[in-house]
Amino acid sequence: MLRFKNLGSGSAGNATLVEAHCGTQVSRLLIDCGLSVRELGKRLIAADLNLEDIDAVFITHEHADHVGHARAFAQKTGADVWMSKGTALACNLAEWDLGPEQFNVARDGEAIQIGALQLHPFTVPHDAREPLQLRCTDGDVHLGVLTDLGHGSSHVVQALQHCHALLLECNHDPALLAQSSYPGFLKKRIAGPQGHLSNEESAQLISALVHPSLNLIVAAHLSERNNRPDLAQSLVAMAAGCQASEIEVADPLLGTPWFKVH
Ligand SMILES: [Zn+2]
Ligand SMILES: [Zn+2]
């Protein structure tokens, strides 16, 4: 059994919990740690879990909304830490003061086994040093986790074929971004090919990934200023061939309930 719960999604801090069950074995991974340890602890308690229940944390890239509190989390819990070499360099991992063998290097195309959970990292086009996003599986069903990318490259499309569930960035509506008070350089960065996915680009990606067993799409990493859930839902639903109300949206501050992948 594979299930996941987003604990917060967006510039205020990202964290997603993925849990795999195999017989009596339960394995839990935190993807990104942009929430303070205190806040994370509170949200885990609300999900009937504790900080110590997390086996490992996977950091997708060095932007503060993803890695911001990972050091404190890793030091407090002793959980294994996974990230690319480039991300480790970019966030000065050598100074994190981790325990021996607590850090593990993740690489594009190399599977990682964490108990009952298997991860398949893949590179994405984003303005970070060596960003990786993930496909997660319990060996039966597959979940794709994809935030922070500027466009859906063919490598991304290849890596996420035949997923049963997707947590997918729908960052902005181009018109709202163009009208916003953001400085010009930032608008250019966000809309650029190494920035973030617009609703239209996310919908295009869904068109390339949709198949009869894709049962759940969660729109994530929505900009609070430059997007609205209904805009993301309607475009993604059109591409997926479902109703807008069937597209779930991760609340930037509250995340989502648990979703079982099936
Ligand atoms: Zn981000
Ligand atoms: Zn980023």
Short mmCIF file of all heavy atoms in Angstrom, two decimals, residues 97-131:
data_model
loop_
_atom_site.label_atom_id
_atom_site.label_comp_id
_atom_site.label_asym_id
_atom_site.label_seq_id
_atom_site.Cartn_x
_atom_site.Cartn_y
_atom_site.Cartn_z
N ASP A 97 26.92 18.98 9.97
CA ASP A 97 27.24 18.23 11.18
C ASP A 97 26.32 17.01 11.35
O ASP A 97 25.72 16.80 12.41
CB ASP A 97 27.10 19.18 12.39
CG ASP A 97 27.91 18.68 13.57
OD1 ASP A 97 28.80 17.84 13.35
OD2 ASP A 97 27.63 19.10 14.70
N LEU A 98 26.21 16.23 10.28
CA LEU A 98 25.37 15.03 10.32
C LEU A 98 26.16 13.86 10.90
O LEU A 98 27.39 13.88 10.93
CB LEU A 98 24.89 14.67 8.91
CG LEU A 98 24.00 15.69 8.22
CD1 LEU A 98 23.63 15.20 6.82
CD2 LEU A 98 22.74 15.96 9.03
N GLY A 99 25.43 12.83 11.32
CA GLY A 99 26.08 11.63 11.82
C GLY A 99 26.76 10.88 10.69
O GLY A 99 26.48 11.13 9.52
N PRO A 100 27.68 9.93 11.03
CA PRO A 100 28.35 9.17 9.98
C PRO A 100 27.32 8.37 9.18
O PRO A 100 26.40 7.80 9.74
CB PRO A 100 29.30 8.24 10.77
CG PRO A 100 28.82 8.26 12.17
CD PRO A 100 28.05 9.52 12.39
N GLU A 101 27.47 8.39 7.87
CA GLU A 101 26.59 7.65 6.96
C GLU A 101 25.14 8.14 6.96
O GLU A 101 24.25 7.44 6.47
CB GLU A 101 26.64 6.15 7.26
CG GLU A 101 28.03 5.58 7.04
CD GLU A 101 28.13 4.11 7.41
OE1 GLU A 101 27.12 3.42 7.36
OE2 GLU A 101 29.25 3.68 7.75
N GLN A 102 24.89 9.32 7.52
CA GLN A 102 23.51 9.83 7.49
C GLN A 102 23.16 10.42 6.12
O GLN A 102 22.02 10.40 5.70
CB GLN A 102 23.34 10.90 8.58
CG GLN A 102 21.88 11.22 8.92
CD GLN A 102 21.75 12.24 10.04
OE1 GLN A 102 22.73 12.63 10.68
NE2 GLN A 102 20.52 12.69 10.29
N PHE A 103 24.19 10.91 5.40
CA PHE A 103 23.97 11.51 4.08
C PHE A 103 24.18 10.50 2.97
O PHE A 103 25.15 9.74 2.99
CB PHE A 103 24.90 12.71 3.89
CG PHE A 103 24.93 13.21 2.47
CD1 PHE A 103 23.76 13.61 1.83
CD2 PHE A 103 26.12 13.28 1.76
CE1 PHE A 103 23.77 14.05 0.51
CE2 PHE A 103 26.15 13.72 0.44
CZ PHE A 103 24.97 14.11 -0.18
N ASN A 104 23.29 10.49 2.01
CA ASN A 104 23.37 9.59 0.86
C ASN A 104 23.19 10.39 -0.42
O ASN A 104 22.31 11.25 -0.50
CB ASN A 104 22.25 8.55 0.93
CG ASN A 104 22.25 7.80 2.24
OD1 ASN A 104 22.91 6.79 2.38
ND2 ASN A 104 21.52 8.31 3.24
N VAL A 105 24.00 10.06 -1.43
CA VAL A 105 23.92 10.78 -2.71
C VAL A 105 22.84 10.16 -3.61
O VAL A 105 22.85 8.94 -3.84
CB VAL A 105 25.27 10.74 -3.45
CG1 VAL A 105 25.16 11.47 -4.79
CG2 VAL A 105 26.36 11.37 -2.60
N ALA A 106 21.92 10.99 -4.08
CA ALA A 106 20.90 10.54 -5.03
C ALA A 106 21.32 10.96 -6.44
O ALA A 106 21.88 12.04 -6.63
CB ALA A 106 19.56 11.18 -4.68
N ARG A 107 21.06 10.08 -7.39
CA ARG A 107 21.43 10.37 -8.78
C ARG A 107 20.29 10.05 -9.72
O ARG A 107 19.56 9.07 -9.50
CB ARG A 107 22.65 9.51 -9.20
CG ARG A 107 23.91 9.85 -8.46
CD ARG A 107 25.07 8.98 -8.92
NE ARG A 107 26.26 9.25 -8.13
CZ ARG A 107 26.56 8.67 -6.97
NH1 ARG A 107 25.75 7.76 -6.47
NH2 ARG A 107 27.65 9.00 -6.32
N ASP A 108 20.19 10.85 -10.76
CA ASP A 108 19.21 10.61 -11.81
C ASP A 108 19.34 9.17 -12.32
O ASP A 108 20.46 8.71 -12.61
CB ASP A 108 19.49 11.59 -12.97
CG ASP A 108 18.65 11.30 -14.19
OD1 ASP A 108 17.53 11.81 -14.26
OD2 ASP A 108 19.12 10.56 -15.07
N GLY A 109 18.22 8.46 -12.36
CA GLY A 109 18.22 7.12 -12.95
C GLY A 109 18.68 5.99 -12.04
O GLY A 109 18.65 4.84 -12.44
N GLU A 110 19.10 6.33 -10.79
CA GLU A 110 19.53 5.27 -9.86
C GLU A 110 18.47 5.05 -8.79
O GLU A 110 18.18 5.97 -8.00
CB GLU A 110 20.85 5.66 -9.17
CG GLU A 110 22.05 5.35 -10.00
CD GLU A 110 23.36 5.62 -9.26
OE1 GLU A 110 23.38 5.67 -8.01
OE2 GLU A 110 24.36 5.80 -9.97
N ALA A 111 17.89 3.85 -8.75
CA ALA A 111 16.82 3.57 -7.79
C ALA A 111 17.36 3.58 -6.35
O ALA A 111 18.50 3.20 -6.10
CB ALA A 111 16.19 2.22 -8.11
N ILE A 112 16.51 4.01 -5.43
CA ILE A 112 16.85 4.06 -4.00
C ILE A 112 15.81 3.24 -3.26
O ILE A 112 14.61 3.42 -3.48
CB ILE A 112 16.78 5.52 -3.49
CG1 ILE A 112 17.81 6.40 -4.20
CG2 ILE A 112 16.95 5.59 -1.97
CD1 ILE A 112 17.57 7.90 -4.00
N GLN A 113 16.26 2.34 -2.39
CA GLN A 113 15.31 1.53 -1.61
C GLN A 113 15.32 2.01 -0.17
O GLN A 113 16.37 2.03 0.48
CB GLN A 113 15.72 0.05 -1.68
CG GLN A 113 14.64 -0.91 -1.20
CD GLN A 113 13.52 -1.11 -2.23
OE1 GLN A 113 13.77 -1.21 -3.42
NE2 GLN A 113 12.27 -1.18 -1.75
N ILE A 114 14.17 2.43 0.32
CA ILE A 114 14.04 2.81 1.73
C ILE A 114 12.98 1.89 2.33
O ILE A 114 11.78 2.17 2.24
CB ILE A 114 13.66 4.30 1.87
CG1 ILE A 114 14.80 5.16 1.30
CG2 ILE A 114 13.38 4.68 3.33
CD1 ILE A 114 14.48 6.62 1.18
N GLY A 115 13.42 0.76 2.86
CA GLY A 115 12.47 -0.22 3.38
C GLY A 115 11.52 -0.68 2.28
O GLY A 115 11.94 -1.19 1.24
N ALA A 116 10.23 -0.45 2.51
CA ALA A 116 9.21 -0.90 1.56
C ALA A 116 8.99 0.09 0.41
O ALA A 116 8.18 -0.16 -0.48
CB ALA A 116 7.88 -1.10 2.31
N LEU A 117 9.72 1.19 0.45
CA LEU A 117 9.51 2.26 -0.53
C LEU A 117 10.68 2.33 -1.51
O LEU A 117 11.84 2.34 -1.09
CB LEU A 117 9.39 3.57 0.24
CG LEU A 117 9.08 4.86 -0.52
CD1 LEU A 117 7.70 4.77 -1.19
CD2 LEU A 117 9.09 6.04 0.46
N GLN A 118 10.36 2.38 -2.80
CA GLN A 118 11.42 2.54 -3.79
C GLN A 118 11.26 3.90 -4.49
O GLN A 118 10.15 4.28 -4.85
CB GLN A 118 11.37 1.42 -4.83
CG GLN A 118 12.63 1.39 -5.69
CD GLN A 118 12.69 0.18 -6.61
OE1 GLN A 118 12.21 0.23 -7.74
NE2 GLN A 118 13.27 -0.91 -6.13
N LEU A 119 12.39 4.59 -4.65
CA LEU A 119 12.39 5.91 -5.26
C LEU A 119 13.16 5.86 -6.57
O LEU A 119 14.21 5.22 -6.65
CB LEU A 119 13.06 6.93 -4.34
CG LEU A 119 12.61 6.96 -2.89
CD1 LEU A 119 13.43 7.97 -2.11
CD2 LEU A 119 11.13 7.28 -2.81
N HIS A 120 12.66 6.60 -7.54
CA HIS A 120 13.36 6.75 -8.81
C HIS A 120 13.54 8.25 -9.08
O HIS A 120 12.62 8.90 -9.56
CB HIS A 120 12.56 6.10 -9.95
CG HIS A 120 12.40 4.61 -9.76
ND1 HIS A 120 13.31 3.71 -10.25
CD2 HIS A 120 11.46 3.90 -9.11
CE1 HIS A 120 12.93 2.49 -9.92
NE2 HIS A 120 11.82 2.57 -9.23
N PRO A 121 14.71 8.80 -8.73
CA PRO A 121 14.94 10.23 -8.95
C PRO A 121 15.22 10.54 -10.42
O PRO A 121 15.80 9.72 -11.12
CB PRO A 121 16.19 10.54 -8.10
CG PRO A 121 16.56 9.27 -7.41
CD PRO A 121 15.87 8.15 -8.09
N PHE A 122 14.80 11.72 -10.84
CA PHE A 122 15.09 12.15 -12.21
C PHE A 122 15.32 13.66 -12.22
O PHE A 122 14.74 14.39 -11.41
CB PHE A 122 13.95 11.76 -13.16
CG PHE A 122 12.60 12.27 -12.77
CD1 PHE A 122 12.14 13.50 -13.24
CD2 PHE A 122 11.78 11.55 -11.90
CE1 PHE A 122 10.89 13.98 -12.87
CE2 PHE A 122 10.53 12.03 -11.53
CZ PHE A 122 10.08 13.25 -12.01
N THR A 123 16.19 14.11 -13.11
CA THR A 123 16.52 15.54 -13.17
C THR A 123 15.40 16.32 -13.86
O THR A 123 14.69 15.79 -14.72
CB THR A 123 17.83 15.79 -13.94
OG1 THR A 123 17.72 15.14 -15.21
CG2 THR A 123 19.03 15.25 -13.22
N VAL A 124 15.28 17.57 -13.45
CA VAL A 124 14.27 18.46 -14.03
C VAL A 124 14.91 19.79 -14.40
O VAL A 124 15.92 20.17 -13.80
CB VAL A 124 13.10 18.71 -13.04
CG1 VAL A 124 12.35 17.44 -12.73
CG2 VAL A 124 13.60 19.36 -11.74
N PRO A 125 14.34 20.50 -15.39
CA PRO A 125 14.87 21.82 -15.73
C PRO A 125 14.38 22.88 -14.74
O PRO A 125 13.21 23.25 -14.74
CB PRO A 125 14.30 22.07 -17.14
CG PRO A 125 13.09 21.21 -17.24
CD PRO A 125 13.24 20.08 -16.29
N HIS A 126 15.26 23.32 -13.86
CA HIS A 126 14.91 24.34 -12.84
C HIS A 126 16.20 25.06 -12.49
O HIS A 126 17.28 24.46 -12.56
CB HIS A 126 14.30 23.64 -11.62
CG HIS A 126 13.72 24.57 -10.60
ND1 HIS A 126 12.79 25.54 -10.93
CD2 HIS A 126 13.92 24.69 -9.26
CE1 HIS A 126 12.46 26.19 -9.82
NE2 HIS A 126 13.13 25.70 -8.80
N ASP A 127 16.09 26.33 -12.09
CA ASP A 127 17.31 27.10 -11.86
C ASP A 127 17.95 26.82 -10.50
O ASP A 127 18.12 27.70 -9.67
CB ASP A 127 17.05 28.60 -12.05
CG ASP A 127 15.86 29.09 -11.26
OD1 ASP A 127 15.30 28.31 -10.47
OD2 ASP A 127 15.47 30.26 -11.43
N ALA A 128 18.29 25.58 -10.30
CA ALA A 128 19.02 25.12 -9.13
C ALA A 128 20.20 24.29 -9.65
O ALA A 128 20.28 24.00 -10.84
CB ALA A 128 18.12 24.27 -8.24
N ARG A 129 21.11 23.89 -8.76
CA ARG A 129 22.36 23.28 -9.22
C ARG A 129 22.19 21.88 -9.83
O ARG A 129 22.75 21.58 -10.87
CB ARG A 129 23.33 23.23 -8.04
CG ARG A 129 24.70 22.81 -8.44
CD ARG A 129 25.74 23.68 -7.80
NE ARG A 129 27.05 23.13 -8.03
CZ ARG A 129 28.12 23.53 -7.39
NH1 ARG A 129 28.04 24.47 -6.48
NH2 ARG A 129 29.29 23.01 -7.66
N GLU A 130 21.45 21.03 -9.15
CA GLU A 130 21.21 19.68 -9.68
C GLU A 130 19.89 19.15 -9.12
O GLU A 130 19.89 18.23 -8.30
CB GLU A 130 22.37 18.73 -9.29
CG GLU A 130 22.34 17.39 -10.02
CD GLU A 130 23.40 16.41 -9.49
OE1 GLU A 130 24.29 16.83 -8.74
OE2 GLU A 130 23.28 15.22 -9.82
N PRO A 131 18.79 19.77 -9.53
CA PRO A 131 17.50 19.40 -8.94
C PRO A 131 17.03 18.01 -9.37
O PRO A 131 17.23 17.61 -10.52
CB PRO A 131 16.55 20.49 -9.45
CG PRO A 131 17.17 20.98 -10.71
CD PRO A 131 18.66 20.83 -10.55
#
